[in-house]
Structures are given as C-alpha cells and as structure tokens.
Amino acid sequence: MNQTDLTAVLRKYKNGDISENDMINHLRSFSVENLGFAHIDHNRIIRKGFPEVIYCEGKTDKQVKSIAEAILKRSNTLLATRASKKTFEYLNKRIPGLRYFLEARIITTKKAVVSNSKADGQAVVVTAGTSDIPVAEEAAVTMRVYGNKVTSINDVGVAGLHRVLKYLEDFQKARVIIVVAGMEGALASVIGGLVSKPVIAVPTSVGYGASFGGVAALLAMLNSCASGVTVVNIDNGFGAGVAASLILQSD
Amino acid sequence: MNQTDLTAVLRKYKNGDISENDMINHLRSFSVENLGFAHIDHNRIIRKGFPEVIYCEGKTDKQVKSIAEAILKRSNTLLATRASKKTFEYLNKRIPGLRYFLEARIITTKKAVVSNSKADGQAVVVTAGTSDIPVAEEAAVTMRVYGNKVTSINDVGVAGLHRVLKYLEDFQKARVIIVVAGMEGALASVIGGLVSKPVIAVPTSVGYGASFGGVAALLAMLNSCASGVTVVNIDNGFGAGVAASLILQSD
Amino acid sequence: MNQTDLTAVLRKYKNGDISENDMINHLRSFSVENLGFAHIDHNRIIRKGFPEVIYCEGKTDKQVKSIAEAILKRSNTLLATRASKKTFEYLNKRIPGLRYFLEARIITTKKAVVSNSKADGQAVVVTAGTSDIPVAEEAAVTMRVYGNKVTSINDVGVAGLHRVLKYLEDFQKARVIIVVAGMEGALASVIGGLVSKPVIAVPTSVGYGASFGGVAALLAMLNSCASGVTVVNIDNGFGAGVAASLILQSD
Amino acid sequence: MNQTDLTAVLRKYKNGDISENDMINHLRSFSVENLGFAHIDHNRIIRKGFPEVIYCEGKTDKQVKSIAEAILKRSNTLLATRASKKTFEYLNKRIPGLRYFLEARIITTKKAVVSNSKADGQAVVVTAGTSDIPVAEEAAVTMRVYGNKVTSINDVGVAGLHRVLKYLEDFQKARVIIVVAGMEGALASVIGGLVSKPVIAVPTSVGYGASFGGVAALLAMLNSCASGVTVVNIDNGFGAGVAASLILQSD
Amino acid sequence: MNQTDLTAVLRKYKNGDISENDMINHLRSFSVENLGFAHIDHNRIIRKGFPEVIYCEGKTDKQVKSIAEAILKRSNTLLATRASKKTFEYLNKRIPGLRYFLEARIITTKKAVVSNSKADGQAVVVTAGTSDIPVAEEAAVTMRVYGNKVTSINDVGVAGLHRVLKYLEDFQKARVIIVVAGMEGALASVIGGLVSKPVIAVPTSVGYGASFGGVAALLAMLNSCASGVTVVNIDNGFGAGVAASLILQSD
Amino acid sequence: MNQTDLTAVLRKYKNGDISENDMINHLRSFSVENLGFAHIDHNRIIRKGFPEVIYCEGKTDKQVKSIAEAILKRSNTLLATRASKKTFEYLNKRIPGLRYFLEARIITTKKAVVSNSKADGQAVVVTAGTSDIPVAEEAAVTMRVYGNKVTSINDVGVAGLHRVLKYLEDFQKARVIIVVAGMEGALASVIGGLVSKPVIAVPTSVGYGASFGGVAALLAMLNSCASGVTVVNIDNGFGAGVAASLILQSD
Amino acid sequence: MNQTDLTAVLRKYKNGDISENDMINHLRSFSVENLGFAHIDHNRIIRKGFPEVIYCEGKTDKQVKSIAEAILKRSNTLLATRASKKTFEYLNKRIPGLRYFLEARIITTKKAVVSNSKADGQAVVVTAGTSDIPVAEEAAVTMRVYGNKVTSINDVGVAGLHRVLKYLEDFQKARVIIVVAGMEGALASVIGGLVSKPVIAVPTSVGYGASFGGVAALLAMLNSCASGVTVVNIDNGFGAGVAASLILQSD
Amino acid sequence: MNQTDLTAVLRKYKNGDISENDMINHLRSFSVENLGFAHIDHNRIIRKGFPEVIYCEGKTDKQVKSIAEAILKRSNTLLATRASKKTFEYLNKRIPGLRYFLEARIITTKKAVVSNSKADGQAVVVTAGTSDIPVAEEAAVTMRVYGNKVTSINDVGVAGLHRVLKYLEDFQKARVIIVVAGMEGALASVIGGLVSKPVIAVPTSVGYGASFGGVAALLAMLNSCASGVTVVNIDNGFGAGVAASLILQSD
C-alpha cells in the first residue's frame, strides 16, 4: 500500500465509506506496508543513482534475467555481482544496453553513471598482490557505479614495504581506504597504522595450505593492532564497496 | 630528526662542513625519521584532542602507570582500555586527575573533553541484550573521549522486532551506527537492512555452547546479507569506537 | 516373525508340537523380531500413506533402482531424495509410474497422494533468498508427499524487513514454520520472534567465504535468541519436512 | 500506541482536529507501535499462563531483580533461567513468593501453575547419563511452568541398549520427546529411530577431550540418520522446553 | 524377566492360566527383558572379575556413593574413574574396604584382584613424557583391575629415539601396547612401525598453544603411517585399558 | 647388511683380515642394518602370507608399477590400496597375475591366499548404510588377504534398531568387530554396548553439511560411551583391517 | 631515486640550482626511495645470483609472462614457482632460454647457475613418503637455483625407522635439514631428535580424512618435542628452500 | 653398551670365548645401544656448554627437583623453562647455586655462562608489543644460556611503522632474528621483507576474541608473504631460542 492508497483509504473513512473497525483493520495490515515508508532512504539511494543489486551466484541465468528485467522497469541502472562471462552473454542477448566488467565480474547498464577516472583519490582501493585484483575490482566498480571516484593501487604487499610507502600521500589524501589482501593480510594493519582514515579490510582467498581459503587473512584483519580497521567477509569486494560508499555519503 | 635538524645538516653540507658521503649517510638513517613526517596526521589527531591509547590487558599495573605518565607529559588526555577497577585504583593513587568508567572499563583524565550528552544522535551505539552493554559502553566512551556525541540504545534484540523498530528514526538520523550483539548477532543485519548508513558490527562473547565465545555472532555479521555492514573483533568496542570516530571525521 | 507367526508357534507349543526349550529358543531370536512390534507406528505411518525413503547420494543408479523396486513391492509410494535428473531418467526407463520434482531433487510415484495446493497454510516453508529455494522445495515436497498442505514464501530475507512482515499473517496462521536461510541465517530469529509456533530452521550452504558452507547460518540458528527455534543439518530440507510432518500429526 | 490511542487519533482526524498530513505522520510512527498487534499471540501465551523469561547469565543480581520486578507488575508468574543459588537467595530476600529449582537452576513464582506430576506422559524428557540431568531438568521445569506434564527418564544411554528399550512404551505414548545427551549423543538417533514423534535433541557439554564442550554430541545429533530429529544449542534445556511446549500447543 | 520367569509364564500359558492374548502381551514387554539374555557376556565379564565402572566427573560425591553402594551389593569389586582425592575421602569414610590410586585417579576395592606386578609384559603401557603418566596410570590400573599384568615404561619420547629403542624387546614381547603421548604424538607411529602388535594410541592434553588441548596428538595418531594403530579419546586412559583388556581376552 | 654378510664380516675379523677398529666401524653402520633384525616380526608377517602394502593415492601409475614389481620379486603377494580402476588396468597389462576388488579399490595377486568365505564369523565388518560399503570392503578384503575369514553385514544403521539386533549372535560370536559408519556414527556405540569384544570404529565421509566430511562420525566414535571402542582415521578401512588382523593374531 | 640521482640532486642543491625548500621536498618523497637503500641486501642477493620470484598460482599465463619479461630485463635469472606445465609451454614459446622442473613445478632460466649435484650434503631435503616428493623438489630446486648443493633422501617415514637411521650420517653432516612429511608428520620430530642442526619442517597435504589437507602434519610439527624445529606453511617447499638458503648464507 | 664393552665382547669372540651365534645375539641388542653413538653430537652440545632442559609445566615441584639434581650430577648447567616463581623457590631451598629469570620464567645455574650483554647484535629478539615480552625473554634467555649474545628490541608493532624502521640497521646486522608477536602477527612479514636473514616467528597468545589464543598470529606467520620466515608453536620462546642458537652454530 503506497501513500496514494493510504490517502484514499483515509478519505473513505473520513467520508464514512468505511467503518472505524475496517479502518483499524486496514491499518493493521498497513502497518507492514508502512514499513515501506521506513525505507524511504532506499528511495533516496535510488534517487541518487544507486542501483539495486543481484548476487548472481547460485541463481540460474534465467532467474538473473527475470530479476534484472524487473529492476530495469523501475530504474535506469543495475548492479549484478559475481556474474560469469557466460551469464553476461546470456543476458546481453536478451536485454539491451548492458555492460560487463570482466575482472570485477559485474554487469551494469551502459546508462549507469560509472565514473571511469582513476585519478581522483577520494577513495583508494589497494591490493597486496596481483591475485587480489579481481576482488579489488569488484569493490572499485561497485563504488564507481555508486557514483564515487576511486584510485586503484595494486601489488604493494608488506614484503616490500617501500612499495606501500611510495603511495603514502595517496593514502593520506583519501577519505576512505579499502585494503584487499590474502595470505597473512598484514597490509591492512600497516596502512591502518599509517593513516587516520577509515580502513575497510577485505580478506581474500588468495593463498594455500594454512591460509584456509582466506581465514588467515580474515583473522589477521580482525586482530589488527591498528585501530580503525573494520572487516568484511572473505572476497567480499562488493560489501566493502558499498560500505565505503556509505561512508563517503554519510553526512 | 625533525625539520630543523634536517635544515641544519643540509646547510652544513652546503657549506662543506660535511662531505657528500656523510650527507648521504645522514639521509639514509633520516629516511626513517622522515616517516615521522608521514605521521603528521597523528599529530593532527592529537591537536583534535584525540588521546593516545593504552591497552591494559596483559600489562602490569606498574607498566600501565609508566606508559600513562609518559603520555601525560605530552598530552592532557589519556585513554586506557580494558582497565580493571584494581588497575584504576592503583593509578588513581599515583596519578592525579584520572577518571574511571566502570562498565566500559576505561580510564581517562578529568581534563579529557568527554561528551556526556546522550541526546545528540550523530552516532548510535545499540545493543541486542543487557549483557552486551559493557562492550557497547567501551565503544561509546571511546567515541565520547574522541569528541563525539553518542546515543545509546540497549536491549533491542531481534527476538522482539518491535523493540528495534521503535528506534527506527534514531537509526535513520545517525551518520554511523555501532551494533553490539552476541548469540546469533542478527541485529546487525536487521539494522543494516533498515538504514543506508555505515554500520559497524561488534560481535560479543555473550552466549554459551555453540556461540563459541562470540564466533557465531562474528560469522553471522561477516555474512550479513545487508551490505554496508563491516565488522570488528569479538568484544572490540574500542575498535568500533575508533572506526566510527574516523568515519565521522572523514572529510 | 509377525504376530500370525507368533500365534502359530505359541499354539504349536501349547499343543506340545514343540518343546519348552525350543519355544524359549524361538522367543530368543524372536526377541529381535518382536522389536518389529515396537515399530508398529512405522506401520501406522505406512497406512497413513507415508512412503519409505531412499537417500540417493552415494548410491549407484542401480542400487537406487533395486531399493526402489523392493519398496514398491510393499507400497504404492516412494520418496527418493537427493536424486539427480540422471538418476531419475535411469529409473524412469525401468520403473513405471514415477514422478520427479526437479528443484527438490525428489523422485516419488504418480500414485503418491501429493498435495499440490500452495494455498492452505497449515505449514509454511519460507526462504531468505532465491538460492535457498531448492532446499526449501525438498522440505515442501517431502511434506506434501507425507500428505500435508504447505505454503511456500520465498526471498524474504531480513535485509528487507518489510518483505518478512508482509507475510506476518501467514506465519501466525501456520501450525509449524520451516525457515530456510543461508549466509547469516537471521531470518529464523526474526520469524521465531514474531510468532509463537514451532519454527524449524534449515541452514543452507548458500554463501561464500566465512559462511564456511553453511556453518555461519547453522551457528546463528543454534544461538537464536528467539526460543522455540530448533535446527536441522545444513541443506537438510528433507529432515525439516519430516520433523514438521511429525509435529502436524502429533496428537 | 495502543488501540485506544489509535481510535482516539482516528476520531480526531475524522473530526478534522488533525490534518490528513498529520494523520499520515501519526501512522508512520504508529506502523512500529502497530507491531505490538502483531505480537498479540504473545499475549495469548501470557493468558495461557506462559511466563516471560529472564536469562540470568551475564546479568548482575541487581539487574535480574529489576527485570523480575517489572515482569511481576504485569504477571503472576516468572521464569528466570541459569540462575545460581546465590542469585535466588538475593532475589528471595527482596521479592516475595519465589521458588527455586536447584538442579534446573530456574527461579519461578509459587503462584506459577507448575505441574509436578511426573506420571503423565504427553512429553518425555530423557537423558543418556546422570550428568545430563541438570540440562534435562531445565527443559522439564520450563515445560511444567508452561503448563505441560512431563515424564523424566534418566540414564538410559545407548551403551546399555536394554535400558532404552525398557521405556519404549513411554516413548511411543508421548507426543514429543526431548533427548538430552553429551559425549557421542547417539541416544537421539536411537530414540528417533524407535518412534515416529517429534524428537528435540539437546547436546550437552558432558564429556572431555574430543567432545569439545558438546560439539561432538551436537554434530552427531545434526547428522542423525533418524529423520524427524531437530536440535537446539549445547546445554539449551530451556530452548528445548519452549519448542516442545509450542509443539504440544500447536493447533 | 529372567529365564525362570519366562518358563513360569510359558507353563501358565500352556496350562491355560493365561490367555493367548496375555501371553503375547507378556512377550512384547519381554522382548526388551530378553535383551538381558543378549548381554549374557556382560555376566561373563562379571564372572571373570570385571568390575562395573563409575565415571565420577560431573557427578556429586553423594551420587558416586549411591551408585557405588548399589554396585557393591552385587559385586566384590568396583572401578570408579576420574575420582578426585576429595571424592575418595568422602567415600572412604562411608564405604569400607576401598582403595585409591592417586595418580590414576581410580577408586577400587581392596578385594579387587589387582595385579601389582610390573614385571610381566603381556601388555605394555608406554608414555612419551613424564606429564603423560597420570593418563597412562589410568590405563594401567584399569587393566590390572581387569586382571591383566601390565609393564609401564615412561618418558621415552621420540626426541630421544635411543630411549624408545632400548625397550624394543619389551614392545615385541607384548601382546598389546598402549602408547600415551601429548604434544605431536609421534611415539604411536614410531612404536607402531617397530612391532606388529595391536597398538592403542591415547593422545593426551599435555602441551600448549597449537596442541589445542590434545588435538594435535589426536590428529597425528589418527593419521599414523604405521597401520595397526587405533586411537581413543584425548586423555582416555580408561578406554584404552578396557580395549586392551578385551583384546587380551578375545578368544 | 643381512645376517650372511654379518657372519662373513665377523669371520674376517676373527681371522684377522680386518682390524678391531674396522670391525667397530662396520658395526656402527651395521647398527642401522641391525634394526632389520629388530623387525624380524615383519619377516614373520611375510612368512604368514602378509603382503607388503602400496598406498596408491598420490602416486603415478608408473610409480605404483615400479614398487609393485620390486615387492613381487621378493613375495608372491601384494596389497595395493586406494587403487583406481585405471591404475589396475595399467598394472594388469604390465604385471601378470593381478586381481582387482572394485568396491574395495584393492589390487592383489591371484596367488594371494584370499579367503572368500563370508560364512566364518571370527571377524565381523558391519556398516550403518549402503554408502559405507566401499570402506567396509577395503577393511574386509585387507583382512582376507591377511588370511582371516570375515563376515560382512551391511546397512544396519541405528535408525532401525531391529536391523542391528537381528545380528546380535553374529556380533557375540566374533572375536573382533569393525564398525563402519558415516553421518552420526552411532552404530559403534550401540554395538560396543551389546558385546564385550574389541570394536574398531571406522568413521566414513558419508554425509553432508555438518558431517564435515566424516568429522561428526569421528568425534562421535571417539566419545563413545561404550568402552572398548577404538577408532581409526576417516575412511581408513585398510587401517581397521590391519588392526583387526593384528588382534586376531596377537598371542 | 637511486644513489646517482640522489647525488645529482644534492650537488644541484649545493650549487644553488635548487632551493633549500625544494631540497627538503625532494627528500621527503625520497624518504620512500631511500628505503631502497635499506634493501641493499636484496641487491646483494641479486649479485650472488639469487633470482626474483614469481608465484604463478592465481595469475594468468599472460601476467606471468609480463612479470618474467620485466625481471629478465634486469637479471639473467628467474624463479617462477607453482608453474603448471601449460604455463611453462606458454612462456617457453615466447621467452627464450627457459628451463622447467616438472616435479618441482618451477620455471627458471638455463643461464641460472643451478647446481645439479646431489652428492654434496651441506643441505639435506628428506621426505617421509613418495607422495611428498613434489613439495621436496620445490624446496630442493629453489635451493639449487639459489646456489646451494642439496642432497635429496626420499621415502624414509617413521613407520620403518631403520630407513631413517640408515641416513643418520647424512643428517649429521648437513648444516641444515628440510623435512617434508604429510599424514602425522612425525619425521620432523624424529630427525630433530637425532641431530643438533636447524630443521625446517614442511607439512604436506598428503593424506586423507582427519589429515585435513595437511593440518595434522602442521600441528604435529609445531608441537614437536624436538626443540630446534621450525615450520613453514603446508606444501610450502619454496619457503623452506629460501629459509634454508638464508641459514646457509647467514654469516 | 659402550665402546669399551663392545671391544671386550669382540675380543672374547675373537678368542673363542663366545660363539658366533652368541656374538650375533649380542650385536642384535647392541644395535640399540649403538644408537648412543649416533647421539654423539648431543655430547658435543654438552661440551659446548649447552644445558639439558626441563619443561616444568605439568610436572610437580618434586619431579622438577629430581630431574634437576640428576642433570646437575653430570653438568654445571641447567635450563628449566616455564618455571613458576613458586617452583623456583622450592628448588632454590633445596639446590644450591640456582638463578631465576622472572619474566622468562627460566631457572638456570649461576655457573651457567649466561651472556648479559644486550649490546652485541648477532641475534635480535624483537616484540610487537609490551605483552609479548615474557615470550621474547624466554627466547633471549635461552639463547644467552646457550652462549649467544642477543639484542632485545621491544614494542615496535606495525601499527607504528616508524618504530620498526628505526631499528632497520639492527635487523640488517643480525645473523638471525626472532620476531615475537600476538594479535595479527604482521611484524614477522614486515621484518622478513626488510632483511634477507633467517627470521623465526613466534606467535603469542596475546589478544582476545578472534585471536583464538594465538591462532590468528600463527596463521598469519605461516602465510607470510615474506619468504624465509619459519614459525614455531604459539608462545614457544624456548623453541625459537634453540632454533636460532642452532642456526648461529651451524657450520
């Protein structure tokens, strides 16, 4: 029940077309619909150009397509994460105007106002190693689709500290930093210690043996001695991108 | 080596008082000292009234006292976390002007500009249950010592959803929300789904059996289907407080 | 040895056709057979139309076929779970009258009195996300084969609380609710807090990283702050369906 | 906002005392209050004599007392679980009419209609060993405070199968069975295989070494080959008692 | 119902004193009692001097006393494991003729035919370190109370291989070997490789850090490259002692 | 250095052909060879017809072939476990006289004195379910190749207790019992409680979700309340077969 | 900025070509470049013929090729680990002068001064079983590419202790020993107890069931009762090879 | 059997006083004694002043005293680790000439040649935080008792990178570095990346929540992206000290 419907019912009640009892019963069910109001900030997000999101893993291509079509009826934009190339090709034949970020495994629309500039440094996404880049790209593309400018810095793991320090100025200029690292995940602590900005750490499943699919990095990041570091799920570039976007737009 | 020292050395070199070789050697060691420059934002933090922090667990009362005295030589303020009442009493006899937050287990100075107002809602710290309050207080007092105003909302776990929803407006007005919950930690997802603000989730060790000392809540929060939720270590109210402070001051 | 056989033996003994010693020996072995009596309620289940069950995973198509044929000699019905399409096709060529539920991966017989109606709401099976549906369907089809009417509600995860609340009336009308959720599994707590009905929670392996194949959801559900929630194994839709059927028929 | 308040507001609106806009704003906040309606079945529980519950662990005696007093203002009854003898003694001096179940660690009121009869067998609570009894008692007393009659059968672990089988008739007569077992937790499977009734399995922390504080029993119960077994948290006798009560009253 | 009772009932039936129906009902309950027959080998154990066993942990002194008295009505002997000195003292004042093995934490009766000789080498109990001795003693005393002769060899961990090899002849003469080791538990593999006798490995909780309370030793023993090694629970000297006794008496 | 070599050297020394010093040096290196003597019981095993064993997993077909050929130079028999059909076919083309047990994944020689009789019941291998049979067959074939007679009993899981009890006499007649079970592994406890014989429990990886690849069954078996149960690694049918053979031949 | 650049800048400053302010700014950025000086020992490594390293897993063939080409511009040598045969073939067609170690999965250059001699025993790499050889080869080839001579001893697991002892002299002559073992990993303790040399233990993922992909061996090695044993990640032959090289060259 | 005994036996044999058969039997048992020869390097250690070691945890004061006295009969020195102050006081009253390092919890003798100098930098022991010092002291005192000079650097965790870099020269001068760190353990990677020396990482149990008693640091160190880092057990300062001593003396 949207606000128009509510107004209509209220007027009917005022006019005596429905009884007080019926009005209360309407409101009871409406108490749920009303929660739609509570999510008005979601509407705000949409107005700001934030897309709704489809998590593609575990969904059939057909399911993804149906959801995408439903979203595109209401919106010019779309954010489909964990989308294989095969899924993109399936959708691309059936829905016009799509765009695919291969490394980030993200599908969006060409109409989505995606910032491509890597120059502006409000947000920095930094990886410890080359293999962490897909997760970092998921974060960066998410942020760009959400309207933010992002600087990507790759392969600056702590084993070569001078590589990290070379970008100190970039880190200090940023308003939020996403650190993407697998193996021992130490980069989050090192960067968290160098700057006094919110650092979102993304452990990745890069590694083998006792990395336990990213658990080593996850635990390291949760135990970071650099305060101000918060953590998202292993390989969750998307979640980090959303959290960073919310921080940038928190005012 | 500070900038004055550097200038002095450079001038000596220019004047031929030290050789090129010596100059290069000076610079080599100086490359470390130079990093002091890199930490200029730490100085900024201090100027903003941010205290240095002592983590008391695993330190003797005597060690805490020595570190506290060293800090108080340079600063009017202090933040000592995980401080037992016994530690506070030990320090209080030896260092004048201290103040203790019993539930938060935090020692600070009376001079620290701690905001006591709970009315302003820029930041909200919310707990699922009564037993989560000490961790939440650690977060809230940390934020207040860092100069922020914090609203505390307690005991609104998801088993009684109406309790959560009653504070919807508080959540929506806030610029950042810290959710503190043990057991199944579902509150982070529910609040993360209701608002589009950065949510920092703090799992607590409240629970028994298969809560595994907070692991159940930690995993739930890391897997939150509400994007925008980031997580800190189990019972790490301090870390959440610092991260939230950095978000509020990120500009 | 069934009761008829027992009576026959007893009469032989009475008539002196077998000695006291032989009678006692008969009874010794019969003490095991007698446990068949103890399972008289299994017979009751069969009379009520409950099928015997084959768990297909880890069995060859040939083994499944042999067991199915043995069951169908005694019964009009059959419930084969975790059956791949390949297994169904193998059986379908060799055993007449079979029926396959693709999403639920269940084979049953056409003669099985499967309730197809989704309208009646004695039992509700609800999922947090689209990817949880196969597990939910395993539960729902199991319940239907067991003669129950089931309402399916899908994709109402807690990140959009209004979606859950929209179905409040359905939840309150139900006599038992099966909640199927992966990731952080918070839906079980939210629904368990909204109604005072038995809630059976099924964690699913939907998720990645620190979901650890469903462990995060499993732990969350076991630690649910909403009392009255019981839990089954990860992805065990069948077990939840049986438990719910037993609850509905417990009188 | 209760129904009386709602009616008052609606009438004001009808009378033109408040504008349509104001009415809608009222309803927005009211959408939360309205959820109180959604919990009307909780009221039903209270009418049926179901007490509200305090989980005492992690609360100070003083906190428990305050909550208990608040509950007793609205209700004749109370259920405080995990209450130490010390807590009971603290409360007993300050609140009249309390009653303590030592083994179950439960405080309730003398006015609570607690069924003491162990004869009626609608529900059975059964333990594998003597050390599991406190958890079983938590379940049994909870059920009795909730108005149910419970039969307790103790120390019938599977290592002596004849002990289990001796009570076969009790199991078959029951409408719901709670199985409480530590160590390898096999009793749940054995009983679940003997009867076609809902079985709620409670793993206990009884054991040592690779029992990992109840994890061995928990996993065994989750993997029970006897379908129809559902599981609660380790040592969660209370949760099992509530779930069994809901099953008995589900109609 | 023992065989005498059964005979009596059968004769009543033959004589027409009870009806066929009543006879069948008798037999139904008797099917359980009959399992007493099935446990006739337990009786054999008792005849061989095997005591019944009380696991004291998690039981009150009073409970232990009641069970002990019940056992001693039927038997001259007793085996109470994990008994603290305090428990022994409680019992010793109330039950005459008890005997306590301090290191093994075992209470038995003075009448129990406990072999004290360490000279005979049918069974060997060997420890890797001094701290493993209490668990080894639990195994050795159990075996002795069960009537076996046991050789104890202590502190021959693999870090000093010559210590192990010195006792090679003892190992080769034994019919069964119990290896008790904490930390990395390598002794089981080394001895298992030296002899072709059944080796029962007992991991102990001796160690720290990544020994995880005996898990490291447990895993090592389960993965022993020396085939013929079987494993019991961490610190379960009693279980190893029983298993070894059964092997010695298996014929 | 074999005994012939040793004798030769000793005689040379006696004859003065080598000095005392050289003799001592010979003996030093020989101290290692001497350990061959220590393994004289291995020779005994070989004399008894025990084959040497190749664990095929992780070895190339070519490596398996080389080791097999080396063994067959010294022996008429062979035991290659975890051998895929592909590996057997590779070997079978290159080495004459081989024989393959498909379900047990074991290669042996046709000359190996493998007992095929299932009638004799000295040892029993029993499975909880059909899917456990391959592991049980690995145990049974191992025992048969080692010269023992084995009775196989399959699919008698505890969910249908009457199935277990039907074979009570078989269990009681056996000198050793191997119990193979996945899921909750309760069968080991039930059988261990019914008989007073050594029971070797083999957890299998049969199951899903919280069975964690056999961990649930492993833990259940380690925590068995039936004393006398020892455990081997998950799916380690071979190890159980060797241990049982050693028990049968321990005298 | 290298030393030449630095000298140039310093001279410009001395000559007044750049101002003091500019000089300080140069030095600030240079503080990072300066850290290159700190890594002068890396240069030493390069001078000694140590190659830079590419970890190929998780990188595309194209990425590996680009990095390899960049390295080969500065160096005659290369060390690419975890390189599949496919990756080697891709590179081999595009970069001249490469060489592949199949078992070690290492690509290096033909110009790399790889010691092939297995005779010199400064370092020993020893495996418990045949399946551990690939990891051992990764260690050995790494050491050889780093200019060391390595003796490889394979398949001397503790189940046949005489095999280990046969090589005692080799172990005692070595300056460092790398022990590679899966399953229960006991070989590290046994060798660590036999010699007083640094032992680097490499757990491998060889095993099944409760080996948990190498965790059992890892824990055993970490808990080794033989002091002086240090451990690297599961299957990390490369890391062990580097550590051993550093030990040999530590002076 | 020592060499004198061996010579005696050989001569008897040469003289015909014992038969060839008897000689061979002597040698068989002697093969074990001979391993004493194999441990000649242990004697070398003793000659170099290396003490034997008592691990005090899990031993009674009386046991520690007995072992200490036995050692001191053969040696001037002693190394007892994990010794509580209480244990030291017990020993100190009964054994003359002892010395206690409180923080390191080590007892040694006053005669032990313990290097007290912190100035010489052959070996560096470095901690991330103040709470890691006891473990570091265990390592440092061990090394000093073993005759090495050690530099201690404390509280240079990565959260303040400039603190680490200040000691770069110390790290580069050292021949071996022990890094002691709890929480996320990142210091090992950072130092391992700065120097090309063997780095031994000691994870400590310092931390809380998801540090899991040192597991987070342990995993981080095992997954270090800086090659050349090896790891010992959590809190195992002694083991690190021994390993570093062996490296320094490996030649």
Side-chain angles (χ1 to χ4, degrees), chain H residues 210-222:
Chain H
S211 85
F212 298 129
V215 169
L218 172 63
L219 294 185
M221 287 164 168
L222 285 169

Side-chain angles (χ1 to χ4, degrees), chain C residues 38-39 41 168 172 175 231 250, chain D residues 38 168 172 175 193 196 231 250:
Chain C
H39 285 91
D41 48 286
L168 197 47
Q172 286 170 344
R175 281 181 54 209
V231 187
S250 166
Chain D
L168 197 47
Q172 286 171 343
R175 280 181 54 209
S196 54
V231 187
S250 165

Side-chain angles (χ1 to χ4, degrees), chain B residues 198-212:
Chain B
V199 169
I200 299 170
V202 191
T204 71
S205 52
V206 169
Y208 61 91
S211 85
F212 299 130

Side-chain angles (χ1 to χ4, degrees), chain A residues 233-246:
Chain A
N233 194 4
I234 297 164
D235 290 337
N236 188 7
F238 166 70
V242 173
S245 298
L246 291 174

Side-chain angles (χ1 to χ4, degrees), chain A residues 184 186 189 219-220 223-225, chain H residues 124-137 139 153-159 163-164 171 177-192 199-208 211-222 224 229-237 240:
Chain A
E184 87 276 56
S189 291
L219 294 185
N223 285 284
S224 176
C225 54
Chain H
V124 169
V125 178
V126 53
T127 66
T130 307
S131 311
D132 301 317
I133 292 178
V135 175
E137 278 302 290
I153 299 171
N154 287 319
D155 195 24
V156 296
V158 300
R163 297 183 300 182
V164 186
F171 300 144
I177 300 168
I178 294 174
V179 179
V180 183
M183 299 175 82
E184 87 276 56
L187 188 59
S189 291
V190 166
I191 292 182
V199 170
I200 298 169
V202 191
T204 71
S205 52
V206 169
Y208 61 91
S211 85
F212 298 129
V215 169
L218 172 63
L219 294 185
M221 287 164 168
L222 285 169
S224 176
V229 174
T230 60
V231 187
V232 296
N233 194 5
I234 297 164
D235 290 337
N236 188 7

Side-chain angles (χ1 to χ4, degrees), chain C:
Chain C
M1 196 196 279
N2 58 23
Q3 192 161 337
T4 321
D5 296 341
L6 174 61
T7 313
V9 170
L10 277 174
R11 287 181 186 170
K12 275 190 193 168
Y13 162 67
K14 195 163 196 175
N15 298 336
D17 294 350
I18 59 174
S19 70
E20 191 179 291
N21 237 25
D22 283 356
M23 184 66 217
I24 285 170
N25 279 333
H26 264 295
L27 290 174
R28 243 176 235 189
S29 66
F30 164 80
S31 73
V32 174
E33 292 284 340
N34 248 357
L35 278 170
F37 284 103
H39 285 91
I40 198 160
D41 48 286
H42 279 303
N43 293 321
R44 192 179 55 90
I45 285 179
I46 291 162
R47 280 193 315 272
K48 282 189 172 179
F50 275 38
E52 293 202 21
V53 181
I54 311 168
Y55 176 74
C56 297
E57 236 161 60
K59 296 198 179 69
T60 62
D61 288 351
K62 208 171 155 185
Q63 286 177 320
V64 174
K65 179 181 149 278
S66 303
I67 305 174
E69 286 172 340
I71 289 173
L72 289 170
K73 274 186 195 150
R74 285 177 286 143
S75 163
N76 272 336
T77 186
L78 179 82
L79 185 61
T81 64
R82 304 278 169 117
S84 67
K85 209 180 165 189
K86 202 188 116 292
T87 295
F88 171 66
E89 283 160 1
Y90 179 92
L91 260 70
N92 204 28
K93 283 184 198 144
R94 289 160 180 83
I95 300 177
L98 295 185
R99 177 178 180 182
Y100 187 53
F101 292 83
L102 179 64
E103 231 171 357
R105 287 180 299 162
I106 282 177
I107 300 170
T108 184
T109 54
K110 287 175 187 158
K111 282 184 194 159
V113 190
V114 180
S115 165
N116 275 313
S117 159
K118 296 202 174 191
D120 182 87
Q122 199 174 42
V124 168
V125 178
V126 53
T127 66
T130 307
S131 311
D132 301 317
I133 293 179
V135 175
E137 278 302 290
E138 192 183 72
V141 172
T142 295
M143 291 196 75
R144 287 179 191 128
V145 173
Y146 277 39
N148 303 291
K149 293 190 174 174
V150 181
T151 303
S152 290
I153 299 172
N154 288 318
D155 196 23
V156 296
V158 299
L161 210 54
H162 57 293
R163 298 182 301 182
V164 186
L165 295 173
K166 198 155 101 185
Y167 295 97
L168 197 47
E169 207 175 341
D170 292 278
F171 300 145
Q172 286 170 344
K173 274 190 344 202
R175 281 181 54 209
V176 63
I177 300 168
I178 294 174
V179 178
V180 183
M183 300 175 81
E184 87 276 54
L187 188 58
S189 291
V190 166
I191 292 181
L194 288 172
V195 300
S196 54
K197 299 298 165 57
V199 169
I200 298 170
V202 191
T204 70
S205 52
V206 169
Y208 61 91
S211 85
F212 299 130
V215 168
L218 172 63
L219 294 185
M221 288 164 168
L222 286 168
N223 286 284
S224 177
C225 54
S227 49
V229 174
T230 60
V231 187
V232 296
N233 194 4
I234 297 164
D235 291 338
N236 188 7
F238 166 69
V242 172
S245 298
L246 291 175
I247 289 172
L248 290 180
Q249 295 169 16
S250 166
D251 46 33

Side-chain angles (χ1 to χ4, degrees), chain G residues 117-179:
Chain G
S117 160
K118 296 203 175 191
D120 182 86
Q122 199 174 43
V124 169
V125 178
V126 53
T127 65
T130 308
S131 311
D132 301 317
I133 293 178
V135 174
E137 278 302 289
E138 192 184 72
V141 172
T142 295
M143 292 197 75
R144 288 181 190 125
V145 173
Y146 277 39
N148 304 291
K149 293 190 175 174
V150 182
T151 302
S152 290
I153 298 172
N154 287 319
D155 195 22
V156 296
V158 299
L161 209 54
H162 57 292
R163 297 182 301 182
V164 186
L165 296 174
K166 198 152 101 185
Y167 294 97
L168 197 46
E169 207 174 342
D170 292 278
F171 300 144
Q172 285 172 344
K173 275 190 342 201
R175 280 182 54 210
V176 64
I177 300 168
I178 294 175
V179 178

